[in-house]
Amino acid sequence: MKKKTLLLIMVTSIIFLTGCWDMVEINQRIFPYSIGVDINEGGDEGKYLVTISYPNVNAIGKNPSQEEQVYIISTTATSIFEGSRHLATRVQYPFYFKHLRVLVLGEELAKDEVLVRQVMDGLNRDFAINKKVQVAVAEGKAKDLIETKTERQEVIEGTIFSLLINDKASARFTSQTLTDFIKSTDANGVALVPKAISKKDEIKISGGALFKKYKFIGYIGELENRAISMVKEKVNRELVETEHNGVTLSYSITDLKSNKKLITTEEGMKIRISIETEGALQEYILEDRPTINNDEILNSMERAVEKQLKKELEKTIEVLQQKYNADALGIAEYLSKFHPRVWREVEKDWDTIFPDIDFEVSVDVKMRRRGLVR
């Protein structure tokens, strides 16, 4: 009786056991780490030109069997996913986008709001794609950027991805993930994406591309990007150079705090931006000059750096207000969070109000360290 009962339990349990019926071995998948999307200039076989790069697994390891580290293929299609299906007929295994690292938008495609929305919406809805994908805009074609072969090509993650995540040591560009891009656009109507430049055997990430309501409207330089990063408190370490008594003065920022304050006046809305920094003296010629132990000299240096940073901030604000009418500083987000009543009053007319806002900028610089040489 016990044997029959045990046998019945074993047979019944088999019914509820599941197998890996759809399992695919890791060596039977292709893992792209970069996708470039351009406008198909021909337009006959789809509006997009999709370029995918993926590592050659046979070139990885101590004893690689092949020299070519990266494969790059392109096709025209009506969407990124249709493009991947087209390309799947030309490669040995199917694509698996779980480990996708970088999305590069071509300059001409980025100018089309509808196409950008379609690309972002498709990637955001797909459950397999990591939403931390880094977004960049190519100065020119995304295909040309991805096809650039550098001398220091990283096989696993790719040169572009390695450069994009390296903004922690500099504020000359601001890394932007797919999620951040969508959130920033929804909150402020504006997103700032790194600009990628391809020159011969080198890729450079410099400055940023401004998007307003999912449409590329223009580029900003490295110093303007730094000013925006300071206002949004996204500066970790940065080097500021200015002139002091005819000599180049280098100041290394090690800590930064930013504060925004709404001031209502009879003339209208005013935003006060206060920046406080701490850092170290990085470089300054001492020959035939007083020692930096002199507090008067040190204070004078701090004022020189304050003047330089304030000038950069005011110039950047002017560019954002008058040239682009783009709230990349996050003022709309600040008002909606901390002054909701005011935001409800100005939200509908924000495009006409933002260019006329009065900004008051103050910068406080402290040199806490002066290095080994005094």
Side-chain angles (χ1 to χ4, degrees), residues 34-63:
S34 298
I35 288 183
V37 190
D38 293 296
I39 288 181
N40 177 22
E41 296 178 353
D44 297 332
E45 300 177 359
K47 53 193 172 185
Y48 297 110
L49 173 62
V50 180
T51 304
I52 295 179
S53 69
Y54 59 95
N56 178 8
V57 294
N58 295 316
I60 301 173
K62 293 183 179 179
N63 301 306

mmCIF file of all heavy atoms in Angstrom, residues 34-63:
data_model
loop_
_atom_site.group_PDB
_atom_site.id
_atom_site.type_symbol
_atom_site.label_atom_id
_atom_site.label_comp_id
_atom_site.label_asym_id
_atom_site.label_seq_id
_atom_site.Cartn_x
_atom_site.Cartn_y
_atom_site.Cartn_z
ATOM 1 N N SER A 34 25.874 48.357 -28.886
ATOM 2 C CA SER A 34 25.602 49.691 -29.441
ATOM 3 C C SER A 34 24.620 49.591 -30.598
ATOM 4 O O SER A 34 24.724 48.685 -31.429
ATOM 5 C CB SER A 34 26.888 50.356 -29.935
ATOM 6 O OG SER A 34 27.801 50.556 -28.886
ATOM 7 N N ILE A 35 23.686 50.544 -30.625
ATOM 8 C CA ILE A 35 22.760 50.675 -31.763
ATOM 9 C C ILE A 35 22.799 52.119 -32.234
ATOM 10 O O ILE A 35 22.690 53.051 -31.426
ATOM 11 C CB ILE A 35 21.315 50.305 -31.381
ATOM 12 C CG1 ILE A 35 21.174 48.799 -31.175
ATOM 13 C CG2 ILE A 35 20.341 50.751 -32.472
ATOM 14 C CD1 ILE A 35 19.751 48.370 -30.878
ATOM 15 N N GLY A 36 22.983 52.304 -33.520
ATOM 16 C CA GLY A 36 22.922 53.636 -34.110
ATOM 17 C C GLY A 36 21.705 53.742 -35.012
ATOM 18 O O GLY A 36 21.394 52.806 -35.752
ATOM 19 N N VAL A 37 21.007 54.870 -34.936
ATOM 20 C CA VAL A 37 19.798 55.057 -35.744
ATOM 21 C C VAL A 37 19.933 56.352 -36.537
ATOM 22 O O VAL A 37 20.123 57.431 -35.953
ATOM 23 C CB VAL A 37 18.528 55.102 -34.869
ATOM 24 C CG1 VAL A 37 17.286 55.049 -35.755
ATOM 25 C CG2 VAL A 37 18.509 53.969 -33.865
ATOM 26 N N ASP A 38 19.836 56.223 -37.855
ATOM 27 C CA ASP A 38 19.878 57.384 -38.759
ATOM 28 C C ASP A 38 18.624 57.400 -39.612
ATOM 29 O O ASP A 38 17.861 56.428 -39.657
ATOM 30 C CB ASP A 38 21.098 57.293 -39.680
ATOM 31 C CG ASP A 38 22.413 57.445 -38.944
ATOM 32 O OD1 ASP A 38 22.658 58.518 -38.386
ATOM 33 O OD2 ASP A 38 23.200 56.467 -38.927
ATOM 34 N N ILE A 39 18.430 58.512 -40.305
ATOM 35 C CA ILE A 39 17.378 58.572 -41.315
ATOM 36 C C ILE A 39 17.872 57.867 -42.575
ATOM 37 O O ILE A 39 19.011 58.081 -43.013
ATOM 38 C CB ILE A 39 17.006 60.028 -41.633
ATOM 39 C CG1 ILE A 39 16.221 60.646 -40.466
ATOM 40 C CG2 ILE A 39 16.189 60.118 -42.918
ATOM 41 C CD1 ILE A 39 15.787 62.073 -40.708
ATOM 42 N N ASN A 40 17.040 57.013 -43.130
ATOM 43 C CA ASN A 40 17.369 56.359 -44.395
ATOM 44 C C ASN A 40 17.148 57.355 -45.522
ATOM 45 O O ASN A 40 16.012 57.703 -45.846
ATOM 46 C CB ASN A 40 16.495 55.119 -44.588
ATOM 47 C CG ASN A 40 16.741 54.440 -45.928
ATOM 48 O OD1 ASN A 40 17.794 54.617 -46.538
ATOM 49 N ND2 ASN A 40 15.759 53.683 -46.383
ATOM 50 N N GLU A 41 18.241 57.827 -46.076
ATOM 51 C CA GLU A 41 18.145 58.872 -47.103
ATOM 52 C C GLU A 41 17.458 58.374 -48.365
ATOM 53 O O GLU A 41 16.816 59.142 -49.084
ATOM 54 C CB GLU A 41 19.539 59.409 -47.420
ATOM 55 C CG GLU A 41 20.187 60.098 -46.226
ATOM 56 C CD GLU A 41 21.591 60.575 -46.528
ATOM 57 O OE1 GLU A 41 22.110 60.243 -47.620
ATOM 58 O OE2 GLU A 41 22.166 61.275 -45.677
ATOM 59 N N GLY A 42 17.581 57.069 -48.638
ATOM 60 C CA GLY A 42 16.878 56.518 -49.804
ATOM 61 C C GLY A 42 15.385 56.471 -49.571
ATOM 62 O O GLY A 42 14.588 56.872 -50.418
ATOM 63 N N GLY A 43 14.989 55.986 -48.403
ATOM 64 C CA GLY A 43 13.591 55.984 -47.997
ATOM 65 C C GLY A 43 12.721 54.937 -48.651
ATOM 66 O O GLY A 43 11.524 54.864 -48.384
ATOM 67 N N ASP A 44 13.290 54.095 -49.521
ATOM 68 C CA ASP A 44 12.481 53.112 -50.236
ATOM 69 C C ASP A 44 12.138 51.896 -49.390
ATOM 70 O O ASP A 44 11.057 51.331 -49.502
ATOM 71 C CB ASP A 44 13.210 52.655 -51.507
ATOM 72 C CG ASP A 44 13.411 53.811 -52.476
ATOM 73 O OD1 ASP A 44 12.577 54.739 -52.443
ATOM 74 O OD2 ASP A 44 14.388 53.776 -53.234
ATOM 75 N N GLU A 45 13.070 51.493 -48.527
ATOM 76 C CA GLU A 45 12.888 50.270 -47.754
ATOM 77 C C GLU A 45 12.744 50.537 -46.258
ATOM 78 O O GLU A 45 13.060 49.692 -45.438
ATOM 79 C CB GLU A 45 14.078 49.335 -48.012
ATOM 80 C CG GLU A 45 14.227 48.948 -49.469
ATOM 81 C CD GLU A 45 15.436 48.083 -49.691
ATOM 82 O OE1 GLU A 45 16.152 47.803 -48.714
ATOM 83 O OE2 GLU A 45 15.671 47.670 -50.837
ATOM 84 N N GLY A 46 12.265 51.672 -45.885
ATOM 85 C CA GLY A 46 12.107 52.007 -44.471
ATOM 86 C C GLY A 46 12.714 53.356 -44.159
ATOM 87 O O GLY A 46 13.656 53.798 -44.821
ATOM 88 N N LYS A 47 12.192 54.009 -43.132
ATOM 89 C CA LYS A 47 12.635 55.365 -42.806
ATOM 90 C C LYS A 47 13.909 55.397 -41.970
ATOM 91 O O LYS A 47 14.537 56.441 -41.825
ATOM 92 C CB LYS A 47 11.519 56.097 -42.068
ATOM 93 C CG LYS A 47 10.980 55.346 -40.855
ATOM 94 C CD LYS A 47 9.690 55.975 -40.374
ATOM 95 C CE LYS A 47 9.034 55.106 -39.286
ATOM 96 N NZ LYS A 47 7.719 55.624 -38.889
ATOM 97 N N TYR A 48 14.294 54.246 -41.379
ATOM 98 C CA TYR A 48 15.466 54.203 -40.515
ATOM 99 C C TYR A 48 16.622 53.450 -41.174
ATOM 100 O O TYR A 48 16.410 52.489 -41.919
ATOM 101 C CB TYR A 48 15.160 53.498 -39.190
ATOM 102 C CG TYR A 48 14.125 54.189 -38.329
ATOM 103 C CD1 TYR A 48 12.862 53.618 -38.152
ATOM 104 C CD2 TYR A 48 14.405 55.387 -37.687
ATOM 105 C CE1 TYR A 48 11.914 54.229 -37.355
ATOM 106 C CE2 TYR A 48 13.457 56.006 -36.886
ATOM 107 C CZ TYR A 48 12.216 55.429 -36.721
ATOM 108 O OH TYR A 48 11.276 56.036 -35.936
ATOM 109 N N LEU A 49 17.841 53.881 -40.846
ATOM 110 C CA LEU A 49 19.040 53.113 -41.130
ATOM 111 C C LEU A 49 19.573 52.669 -39.770
ATOM 112 O O LEU A 49 20.032 53.485 -38.973
ATOM 113 C CB LEU A 49 20.082 53.963 -41.855
ATOM 114 C CG LEU A 49 21.454 53.310 -42.070
ATOM 115 C CD1 LEU A 49 21.318 52.064 -42.951
ATOM 116 C CD2 LEU A 49 22.446 54.292 -42.666
ATOM 117 N N VAL A 50 19.479 51.384 -39.485
ATOM 118 C CA VAL A 50 19.834 50.832 -38.178
ATOM 119 C C VAL A 50 21.201 50.165 -38.263
ATOM 120 O O VAL A 50 21.430 49.318 -39.131
ATOM 121 C CB VAL A 50 18.784 49.813 -37.693
ATOM 122 C CG1 VAL A 50 19.170 49.250 -36.329
ATOM 123 C CG2 VAL A 50 17.400 50.461 -37.639
ATOM 124 N N THR A 51 22.104 50.554 -37.357
ATOM 125 C CA THR A 51 23.442 49.984 -37.303
ATOM 126 C C THR A 51 23.659 49.344 -35.941
ATOM 127 O O THR A 51 23.414 49.978 -34.911
ATOM 128 C CB THR A 51 24.514 51.064 -37.532
ATOM 129 O OG1 THR A 51 24.266 51.726 -38.776
ATOM 130 C CG2 THR A 51 25.904 50.459 -37.551
ATOM 131 N N ILE A 52 24.095 48.102 -35.933
ATOM 132 C CA ILE A 52 24.307 47.360 -34.685
ATOM 133 C C ILE A 52 25.753 46.892 -34.602
ATOM 134 O O ILE A 52 26.303 46.381 -35.576
ATOM 135 C CB ILE A 52 23.365 46.145 -34.596
ATOM 136 C CG1 ILE A 52 21.905 46.611 -34.512
ATOM 137 C CG2 ILE A 52 23.706 45.276 -33.387
ATOM 138 C CD1 ILE A 52 20.900 45.473 -34.451
ATOM 139 N N SER A 53 26.366 47.079 -33.444
ATOM 140 C CA SER A 53 27.715 46.558 -33.219
ATOM 141 C C SER A 53 27.669 45.542 -32.089
ATOM 142 O O SER A 53 26.942 45.710 -31.115
ATOM 143 C CB SER A 53 28.684 47.692 -32.868
ATOM 144 O OG SER A 53 28.399 48.235 -31.601
ATOM 145 N N TYR A 54 28.439 44.492 -32.237
ATOM 146 C CA TYR A 54 28.471 43.459 -31.197
ATOM 147 C C TYR A 54 29.858 42.815 -31.187
ATOM 148 O O TYR A 54 30.572 42.796 -32.187
ATOM 149 C CB TYR A 54 27.386 42.397 -31.439
ATOM 150 C CG TYR A 54 27.464 41.666 -32.750
ATOM 151 C CD1 TYR A 54 28.112 40.429 -32.843
ATOM 152 C CD2 TYR A 54 26.884 42.195 -33.903
ATOM 153 C CE1 TYR A 54 28.175 39.747 -34.044
ATOM 154 C CE2 TYR A 54 26.946 41.516 -35.102
ATOM 155 C CZ TYR A 54 27.591 40.297 -35.171
ATOM 156 O OH TYR A 54 27.664 39.632 -36.366
ATOM 157 N N PRO A 55 30.282 42.298 -30.017
ATOM 158 C CA PRO A 55 31.638 41.755 -29.892
ATOM 159 C C PRO A 55 31.803 40.415 -30.590
ATOM 160 O O PRO A 55 30.866 39.623 -30.669
ATOM 161 C CB PRO A 55 31.815 41.600 -28.376
ATOM 162 C CG PRO A 55 30.430 41.428 -27.858
ATOM 163 C CD PRO A 55 29.549 42.253 -28.741
ATOM 164 N N ASN A 56 32.987 40.175 -31.092
ATOM 165 C CA ASN A 56 33.354 38.891 -31.661
ATOM 166 C C ASN A 56 33.905 38.026 -30.526
ATOM 167 O O ASN A 56 35.029 38.239 -30.061
ATOM 168 C CB ASN A 56 34.404 39.086 -32.754
ATOM 169 C CG ASN A 56 34.881 37.775 -33.355
ATOM 170 O OD1 ASN A 56 34.325 36.712 -33.073
ATOM 171 N ND2 ASN A 56 35.912 37.858 -34.173
ATOM 172 N N VAL A 57 33.137 37.062 -30.066
ATOM 173 C CA VAL A 57 33.533 36.256 -28.911
ATOM 174 C C VAL A 57 34.808 35.459 -29.192
ATOM 175 O O VAL A 57 35.538 35.096 -28.264
ATOM 176 C CB VAL A 57 32.398 35.295 -28.475
ATOM 177 C CG1 VAL A 57 31.219 36.079 -27.961
ATOM 178 C CG2 VAL A 57 31.993 34.383 -29.629
ATOM 179 N N ASN A 58 35.098 35.195 -30.472
ATOM 180 C CA ASN A 58 36.305 34.452 -30.814
ATOM 181 C C ASN A 58 37.573 35.285 -30.703
ATOM 182 O O ASN A 58 38.683 34.755 -30.824
ATOM 183 C CB ASN A 58 36.193 33.889 -32.239
ATOM 184 C CG ASN A 58 35.094 32.857 -32.363
ATOM 185 O OD1 ASN A 58 34.947 31.992 -31.506
ATOM 186 N ND2 ASN A 58 34.301 32.960 -33.423
ATOM 187 N N ALA A 59 37.393 36.617 -30.480
ATOM 188 C CA ALA A 59 38.552 37.491 -30.312
ATOM 189 C C ALA A 59 38.766 37.844 -28.845
ATOM 190 O O ALA A 59 39.570 38.706 -28.521
ATOM 191 C CB ALA A 59 38.363 38.768 -31.135
ATOM 192 N N ILE A 60 37.999 37.207 -27.946
ATOM 193 C CA ILE A 60 38.084 37.478 -26.517
ATOM 194 C C ILE A 60 38.840 36.347 -25.827
ATOM 195 O O ILE A 60 38.648 35.177 -26.146
ATOM 196 C CB ILE A 60 36.679 37.613 -25.899
ATOM 197 C CG1 ILE A 60 35.900 38.746 -26.587
ATOM 198 C CG2 ILE A 60 36.756 37.879 -24.404
ATOM 199 C CD1 ILE A 60 34.461 38.841 -26.151
ATOM 200 N N GLY A 61 39.659 36.700 -24.873
ATOM 201 C CA GLY A 61 40.376 35.677 -24.103
ATOM 202 C C GLY A 61 41.874 35.733 -24.327
ATOM 203 O O GLY A 61 42.396 36.574 -25.070
ATOM 204 N N LYS A 62 42.582 34.800 -23.687
ATOM 205 C CA LYS A 62 44.043 34.794 -23.752
ATOM 206 C C LYS A 62 44.546 34.324 -25.108
ATOM 207 O O LYS A 62 45.572 34.784 -25.600
ATOM 208 C CB LYS A 62 44.598 33.888 -22.649
ATOM 209 C CG LYS A 62 44.347 34.405 -21.247
ATOM 210 C CD LYS A 62 44.980 33.486 -20.216
ATOM 211 C CE LYS A 62 44.744 34.014 -18.806
ATOM 212 N NZ LYS A 62 45.344 33.124 -17.773
ATOM 213 N N ASN A 63 43.849 33.400 -25.703
ATOM 214 C CA ASN A 63 44.272 32.851 -26.998
ATOM 215 C C ASN A 63 43.169 33.038 -28.035
ATOM 216 O O ASN A 63 42.516 32.071 -28.444
ATOM 217 C CB ASN A 63 44.633 31.375 -26.856
ATOM 218 C CG ASN A 63 45.758 31.149 -25.860
ATOM 219 O OD1 ASN A 63 46.820 31.756 -25.976
ATOM 220 N ND2 ASN A 63 45.520 30.287 -24.881
#
